[in-house]
Amino acid sequence: MTLAERARRVIPGGVNSGQRSIPGLTDLVIARTAGSRFWDSDGREFTDYHAAFGPPLLGHNDPDVAAATAEAAGRLGLTGVAVTEGEVLLAEQLTELIPSVDKVLLTSTGSEATFHALRVARAATGRRLVVKFQGCYHGWHDSVSLNVISAPDRIGRQDPTSAGILPEVLDATLVLRFNDHAAVRQVFAEHGADIAAVIVEPVPHNVGTLLPTGEFLRALREECTAAGSVLVFDEVITGFRHALGGYQAISGITPDLTTLGKAIANGAPIGALGGRADLMDLFSTRPGGPAFFAGTYNGHPLPVAAALATVRKLREEPVHEHVFRLGERVRTGLAALYRRLDVPAVVTGYGSVFVTYFMPGPEPRSYDDLLANDTALFVGYRRHLAGLGVFELPLNLKRSHLSYAHNDADVDRLLEATEVAVTRTLAEGGPRDLAHTSTMGGAGTTTGTH
C-alpha cells in the first residue's frame, strides 16, 4: 500500500487542507523541499511555482531562516506567559515598515488575523454589517467564507464556501464587485450607518491577479472615513511579497487595520493583525479591553525567529529586485509564447506573481471578467507541466510565484515546458470548458489560501 493510500485510510481525503488533493495527482507525496524545488516520495524533482500559495518568498528551507529557527529551538520553548524579546523585536519592525500599523498582535494564521480584525471593528463601531468583494478570500471563518470562486449562477447572491454557516451570519455580509467604486458609494449611501468594516485583498490574488484601480481604493478609504467604518486590508498574500510595507505602501492608501500571514516568516505558521492604536487597544491583551484576544501559539518562539530572519534578509538583500526582474521575464516570455502559438491569453500578475488567463483581452478588473477563462486549458496545461517536472497548481484561476531561490535558468525551463504543455493540451482537443462546479468552488469547497 502506498503512502497516499495509507493517508486516505486515516485522513479524510488523504490531505489536511481542502485544496491539496489534486485530480490526476492524488498519489503525490512530498518528501523533501529545498530552494526552488521539491521532491516526491518516488524521487521525482519539481521546480515549484506553487510554493504553498506563495509564502516562501526566499525559497524553501532558506538556510538563514532555518538557522535562526534552530537557534531559537535550542534556547526557547513555549511558556504561554509574558512576552519574549523576539516578539518585541518583530512588533517593532512591523510598526516601522507598514504604514497603517501603530500596534500589532501576533496570531498563528491569516484566518485568525482577519477574524479578529472584524471582531474588533464591530466592537469599536457597535455595528453589524461587513462588506467584502467577489473573488476575495479572507479565511475560513463564517463572516467571510462566501463568494470567492463562484459559479456564474452564484454571482450576485450568497455563495457560501461551506455548509454549516448560519444564515444570519451570511446575512450580515454584503458582497460587492471588485473595482466597482460606484457600488461602494451606493452601499454606503444605503447602509453606511450599519457598516462596521470593509475588508479587501488590495490585489485579489486568490483568483489569480486583479489589479485595483486607484479610484476604487480611494473610494474605500473615503467612504469608510466618512461613515466611521473600519477599512481592513487583507495583506496575507501581498504583505512582504510585493513590498515590505505591503501593497498599501505601493498604492498610497492607508487602511485602519492590516492582516498579515505566513509570508512574513517565509512560510512558518504565523499571522499578524496591526493598525491604529485606538483600535488595537480594544483587545483584551490590554487589561479592560472589550474584544477578547487569545491563542496559545500566538508569538511562538520558532515562527517569530523565522519572521525576524525573513525580515532581516528582505531588508538587507536584493530579494524584491531579483523576484520582480524574474517576474517581468516570465510575464513577457509567456505573452510572446501565446502570441506565437496564436492562443488567446492575458498574461498578468504583479512583481513575483504571474498567471495566464486563456481568454481575449483586455486585462480583467473583476471576478466576472474571469468567467471567460478557458478552464480546461488552464487546468490541463498545468497537469502536463507536472509531468515535465514543473509544478503550477492545476486548479482554476490559481496564481504562480517566483522566489529568491529561482534563477534565469528556471525561467528558461518554465517557458520551454509551458510551450510543450500547452501544445499537448490543445492537441488533446475536446470541449474547452470544464464544469465550473468541479474547479470553481461552491458549497463544501475550500477556495482560499489562509
Side-chain angles (χ1 to χ4, degrees):
M1 184 180 295
T2 67
L3 274 171
E5 290 169 335
R6 288 164 55 190
R8 287 190 286 271
R9 289 184 62 189
V10 292
I11 302 171
V15 291
N16 279 298
S17 187
Q19 288 191 321
R20 294 183 189 172
S21 182
I22 309 300
L25 296 171
T26 54
D27 289 332
L28 185 66
V29 176
I30 308 302
R32 184 165 68 92
T33 62
S36 62
R37 285 159 168 73
F38 69 80
W39 291 259
D40 72 3
S41 56
D42 293 324
R44 294 180 297 176
E45 177 181 326
F46 299 83
T47 305
D48 186 14
Y49 294 96
H50 167 51
F53 296 100
L57 178 58
L58 300 176
H60 295 298
N61 298 359
D62 177 81
D64 298 315
V65 175
T69 306
E71 188 281 329
R75 180 171 49 86
L76 276 172
L78 180 67
T79 60
V81 66
V83 71
T84 63
E85 180 184 20
E87 292 170 78
V88 178
L89 292 173
L90 180 56
E92 288 175 338
Q93 295 201 49
L94 294 176
T95 59
E96 176 188 348
L97 291 168
I98 301 170
S100 65
V101 177
D102 297 328
K103 294 185 178 184
V104 64
L105 287 167
L106 300 179
T107 64
S108 293
T109 67
S111 290
E112 293 171 63
T114 58
F115 172 88
H116 286 296
L118 298 184
R119 171 180 278 181
V120 80
R122 285 181 164 128
T125 63
R127 300 173 182 178
R128 173 174 172 265
L129 298 179
V130 167
V131 175
K132 76 173 292 285
F133 297 89
Q134 177 70 54
C136 290
Y137 175 75
H138 305 293
W140 40 252
H141 51 96
D142 290 358
S143 293
V144 290
S145 195
L146 72 166
N147 294 81
V148 185
I149 298 181
S150 299
D153 62 347
R154 302 296 299 182
I155 298 173
R157 58 195 181 105
Q158 289 179 356
D159 182 28
T161 62
S162 175
I165 302 175
L166 294 173
E168 52 267 41
V169 175
L170 295 173
D171 290 342
T173 302
L174 308 177
V175 180
L176 304 183
R177 183 175 181 262
F178 186 79
N179 268 332
D180 191 340
H181 61 92
V184 171
R185 299 199 187 278
Q186 180 179 347
V187 80
F188 270 93
E190 296 175 356
H191 303 287
D194 200 23
I195 294 176
V198 174
I199 186 167
V200 65
E201 288 184 87
V203 182
H205 279 312
N206 278 286
V207 291
T209 298
L210 297 174
L211 293 173
T213 65
E215 189 173 21
F216 173 69
L217 293 181
R218 285 192 298 273
L220 297 182
R221 181 65 279 171
E222 291 168 3
E223 293 297 329
C224 284
T225 299
S229 304
V230 177
L231 177 59
V232 183
F233 272 16
D234 180 349
E235 299 230 37
V236 166
I237 297 172
T238 55
F240 281 29
R241 178 161 279 279
H242 291 344
L244 274 166
Y247 197 79
Q248 60 196 263
I250 298 167
S251 68
I253 302 297
T254 302
D256 302 301
L257 294 172
T258 297
T259 63
L260 300 165
K262 304 165 283 291
I264 68 174
N266 204 50
I270 194 170
L273 169 61
R276 282 174 19 205
D278 63 304
L279 293 173
M280 297 301 296
D281 280 341
L282 293 175
F283 283 114
S284 63
T285 51
R286 186 184 65 81
F292 184 72
F293 186 95
T296 301
Y297 296 118
N298 293 353
H300 190 288
L302 302 193
V304 166
L308 287 169
T310 300
V311 174
R312 181 165 54 251
K313 197 158 188 171
L314 291 175
R315 300 186 83 164
E316 295 177 355
E317 298 191 24
V319 176
H320 287 103
E321 177 184 342
H322 178 79
V323 297
F324 272 50
R325 182 183 66 80
L326 291 185
E328 186 60 27
R329 268 207 67 201
V330 169
R331 289 186 293 273
T332 300
L334 288 175
L337 165 65
Y338 294 122
R339 284 194 299 270
R340 187 169 71 253
L341 295 178
D342 196 26
V343 173
V346 176
V347 180
T348 186
Y350 186 88
S352 60
V353 174
F354 63 96
V355 64
T356 299
Y357 301 117
F358 293 102
M359 63 186 197
E363 186 169 324
R365 290 297 186 184
S366 63
Y367 177 80
D368 47 298
D369 294 337
L370 301 180
L371 298 177
N373 179 52
D374 186 333
T375 306
L377 182 52
F378 189 102
V379 174
Y381 95 91
R382 291 184 175 201
R383 289 178 180 165
H384 281 297
L385 274 181
L388 297 167
V390 176
F391 195 84
E392 294 186 51
L393 189 66
L395 288 177
N396 192 36
L397 303 183
K398 293 306 177 185
R399 68 203 178 273
S400 296
H401 316 83
L402 292 145
S403 77
Y404 196 38
H406 286 91
N407 57 35
D408 284 288
D410 291 327
V411 172
D412 293 339
R413 176 62 183 142
L414 170 66
L415 296 175
E416 293 168 1
T418 299
E419 181 165 5
V420 173
V422 170
T423 301
R424 288 179 180 175
T425 306
L426 291 171
E428 290 170 350
R432 293 262 57 86
D433 186 30
L434 296 179
H436 281 89
T437 52
S438 66
T439 56
M440 297 190 68
T445 303
T446 301
T447 56
T449 62
H450 285 187

